[in-house]
């Protein structure tokens, strides 16, 4: 497997795109759109976290957040497990990660669904029950490695459920994670933007039937309903539509749909789409990270400026290439076995 391997280029692009989107959204996460505009105008490059940044105060430009950190945990566990992820090992890794963040004085800790689920697990609850109310985007934000490791004609949906169950064992949380994983998986197979989005919608519908039922709008139905209208909008109206109508909160049916609409919008200019995500306000780092993973999978690592790739890898001491190779090896091994 060489750098000239198209599948490797896309797998590597997915992991790097996730990190770039995450880092672009770092300084604006959890801020309202009006404040983002007042302070930054439109994000067009990496920026420092301001002293009053609610999650990442003073964090250096191009730094990644929990989205990338947790995706790399998933990537290692999936690669070590030959495509499977042990929920207890995953829970232990997440708890250890948060403790390191606390020791560093970071405010970038576990999300609400994940934190509540792990507290239940530590109190003795079963894996089937810990994530029964997890509806936020924590599973979707870190699921890209599962999409790299599994083809859509294999056990992708089961693998997403396995990776999501401990924290997001609901139809909504699983559906959202299925959408991102399937879009990434389609990209690895060489799908274009339309093909990746079709795969996302199909998988989101399949995922709705898994896990515990919770009330909430369908990821698949919202994507189908919003896409034609979003496609007709100019840039300013499109951004307002995402923020005001689709939503950019931590809720899966908002942020995942927003990310996929940005993938559609960014077919010709992926990096600009991630800058748009970072400029929206709300859960900007996660929206941009999910969009970046899919855009990287569809377009390969050349979708992003070389300087941006180099900077985000250097600042965070990241080298996702070996993990991309290991995840692809899992994918190819499981394909040969079928």
């Amino acid at each position: 497997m060489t750098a000239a391997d198209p599948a490797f280029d896309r797998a590597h692009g997915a992991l790097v795109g996730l990190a770039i989107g995450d880092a672009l959204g770092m300084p604006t996460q959890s801020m309202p759109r009006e404040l983002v505009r007042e302070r930054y105008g439109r994000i067009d490059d990496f920026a420092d976290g301001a002293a009053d940044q609610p999650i990442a105060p003073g964090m250096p430009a191009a730094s990644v957040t929990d989205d990338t950190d947790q995706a790399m945990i998933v990537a290692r566990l999936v690669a070590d497990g030959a495509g499977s992820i042990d929920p207890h090992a995953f829970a232990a890794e997440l708890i250890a990660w948060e403790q390191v963040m606390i020791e560093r004085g970071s405010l970038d800790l576990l999300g609400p669904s994940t934190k509540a689920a792990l507290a239940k697990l530590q109190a003795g609850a079963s894996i089937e029950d810990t994530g029964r109310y997890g509806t936020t985007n924590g599973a979707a934000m870190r699921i890209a490695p599962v999409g790299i490791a599994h083809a859509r004609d294999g056990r992708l949906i089961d693998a997403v459920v396995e990776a999501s169950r401990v924290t997001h064992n609901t139809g909504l949380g699983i559906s959202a994670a299925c959408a991102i994983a399937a879009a990434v998986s389609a990209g690895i197979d060489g799908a274009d933007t339309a093909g990746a989005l079709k795969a996302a919608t199909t998988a989101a519908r399949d995922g709705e039937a898994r896990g515990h039922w919770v009330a909430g709008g369908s990821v698949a139905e919202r994507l189908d309903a919003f896409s034609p209208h979003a496609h007709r909008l100019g840039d300013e109206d499109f951004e307002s539509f995402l923020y005001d109508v689709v939503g950019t909160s931590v809720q899966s049916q908002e942020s995942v749909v927003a990310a996929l609409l940005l993938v559609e919008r960014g077919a010709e200019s992926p990096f600009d789409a991630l800058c748009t995500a970072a400029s929206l306000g709300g859960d900007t780092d996660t929206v941009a990270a999910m969009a970046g993973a899919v855009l990287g999978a569809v377009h390969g690592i050349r979708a992003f400026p070389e300087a941006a790739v180099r900077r985000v890898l250097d600042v965070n001491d990241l080298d996702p290439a070996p993990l991309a190779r290991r995840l692809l090896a899992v994918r190819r091994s499981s394909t040969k076995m079928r």
Side-chain angles (χ1 to χ4, degrees), residues 290-334:
M290 293 187 294
V294 178
L295 287 163
V298 171
H299 299 281
I301 199 165
R302 293 172 185 80
F304 311 111
E306 185 178 344
V309 172
R310 186 167 56 250
R311 189 173 182 197
V312 80
L313 297 183
D314 288 347
V315 166
N316 299 283
D317 195 23
L318 279 175
D319 182 14
L323 279 172
R325 292 190 179 94
R326 293 184 65 202
L327 293 168
L328 275 182
V330 170
R331 184 188 190 96
R332 287 167 171 164
S333 176
S334 62

Side-chain angles (χ1 to χ4, degrees), residues 249-323:
S249 78
V250 298
Q251 290 302 317
S252 293
Q253 68 269 40
E254 292 190 7
S255 53
V256 170
V257 175
L260 292 171
L261 290 173
L262 282 158
V263 168
E264 185 174 47
R265 190 76 165 195
E268 299 301 323
S269 186
F271 186 74
D272 284 349
L274 301 188
C275 290
T276 296
S279 304
L280 288 173
D283 197 9
T284 51
D285 59 326
T286 298
V287 172
M290 293 187 294
V294 178
L295 287 163
V298 171
H299 299 281
I301 199 165
R302 293 172 185 80
F304 311 111
E306 185 178 344
V309 172
R310 186 167 56 250
R311 189 173 182 197
V312 80
L313 297 183
D314 288 347
V315 166
N316 299 283
D317 195 23
L318 279 175
D319 182 14
L323 279 172

Side-chain angles (χ1 to χ4, degrees), residues 227-240:
S227 179
H229 179 68
H231 187 71
R232 296 191 294 267
L233 297 174
D235 291 344
E236 179 68 20
D237 288 341
F238 173 72
E239 293 177 27
S240 296

Side-chain angles (χ1 to χ4, degrees), residues 144-223:
V146 174
I148 296 171
H150 292 282
R152 288 169 295 137
D153 59 353
R155 58 177 296 270
L156 176 63
I157 303 299
D158 288 342
V160 172
V161 172
E162 186 179 67
S164 306
R165 183 173 54 185
V166 69
T167 59
H168 294 79
N169 193 12
T170 64
L172 185 54
I174 290 168
S175 173
C178 283
I180 298 299
V184 168
S185 185
I188 303 301
D189 283 336
D192 60 8
T193 301
L197 292 176
K198 182 177 180 181
T201 303
T202 299
R205 287 199 173 94
D206 290 341
E208 288 174 357
R210 309 294 287 268
H212 296 280
W213 179 85
V214 289
S218 163
V219 170
E221 295 300 329
R222 282 168 59 84
L223 183 58

